[in-house]
């Protein structure tokens, strides 16, 4: 008789509830990155942190920004001479994907994958920031508004 290995792992896991996930979006030009997420994506900047190599192990700056319940950190980091840039690809689920698509397109966002409806009932599109980070925006296809 074989057992599902997931059931064995479940009893070894702590009982935790994750509160939130805050993605770090890596950019080369910190000021330009913050401006793009503010001016094109419509995020609000709340605060900035600057860390030195002596304090944090690398030179790093980040700005916490938010929009509609989502927090993210626009960040620049240089560790041992290496700069981290353009490595993020994440999906954000929301309502009214078409309205956000139209807003971002009007603000000049680079729509990397155009707005589309999938046969499984999801509508999505993907934007790319100037550093190459990709953000997929996804939600249900409204019954009364197919593309």
């Amino acid at each position: 008789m074989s057992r599902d290995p997931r059931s064995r792992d479940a009893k070894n896991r702590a009982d935790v509830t994750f509160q939130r996930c805050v993605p770090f979006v890596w950019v080369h030009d910190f000021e330009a990155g913050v401006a793009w997420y503010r001016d094109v994506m419509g995020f609000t900047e709340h605060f900035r942190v600057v860390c030195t190599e002596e304090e944090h192990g690398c030179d790093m700056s980040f700005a916490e920004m938010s929009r509609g319940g989502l927090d993210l950190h626009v960040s620049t980091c240089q560790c041992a001479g290496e700069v981290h840039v353009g490595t993020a690809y994440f999906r954000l689920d929301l309502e009214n994907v078409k309205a956000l698509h139209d807003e971002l397109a009007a603000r000049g966002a680079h729509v990397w994958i155009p707005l589309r409806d999938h046969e499984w009932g999801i509508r999505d599109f993907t934007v790319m920031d100037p550093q190459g980070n990709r953000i997929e925006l996804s939600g249900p296809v409204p019954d009364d508004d197919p593309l």
Side-chain angles (χ1 to χ4, degrees):
M1 178 168 122
S2 69
R3 292 182 162 242
D4 183 345
R6 292 174 294 181
S7 63
R8 179 183 35 160
D9 291 341
K11 65 183 171 188
N12 294 326
R13 284 183 264 177
D15 183 18
V16 299
T17 301
F18 295 100
Q19 300 298 315
R20 70 181 187 150
C21 175
V22 181
F24 277 68
V25 181
W26 301 107
V27 298
H28 182 70
D29 182 328
F30 182 66
E31 294 300 331
V34 170
W36 190 85
Y37 280 88
R38 181 190 62 234
D39 300 341
V40 176
M41 293 295 289
F43 279 76
T44 299
E45 181 181 342
H46 298 290
F47 64 85
R48 293 179 181 210
V49 174
V50 177
C51 301
T52 65
E53 187 170 352
E54 293 78 32
E55 297 170 321
H56 194 68
C58 62
D59 291 324
M60 178 178 177
S61 299
F62 70 87
E64 182 167 286
M65 304 183 80
S66 69
R67 179 175 178 177
L70 172 72
D71 296 323
L72 62 79
H73 289 176
V74 175
S75 309
T76 185
C77 180
Q78 183 170 349
C79 299
E82 184 178 322
V83 177
H84 302 276
V85 168
T87 58
Y89 189 122
F90 54 94
R91 187 185 84 205
L92 305 176
D93 294 338
L94 62 139
E95 296 292 326
N96 205 351
V97 174
K98 186 177 183 312
L100 184 61
H101 171 272
D102 295 348
E103 174 192 329
L104 298 183
R107 291 180 182 215
H110 174 201
V111 178
W112 188 57
I113 298 176
L115 185 67
R116 60 196 175 169
D117 288 352
H118 296 280
E119 61 188 48
W120 51 87
I122 295 297
R123 172 175 290 168
D124 66 12
F125 70 101
T126 303
V127 297
M128 183 185 304
D129 77 11
Q131 304 299 314
N133 294 295
R134 294 167 183 91
I135 306 160
E136 180 181 319
L137 300 132
S138 175
V141 175
D143 293 333
D144 61 344
D145 188 26
L147 292 179

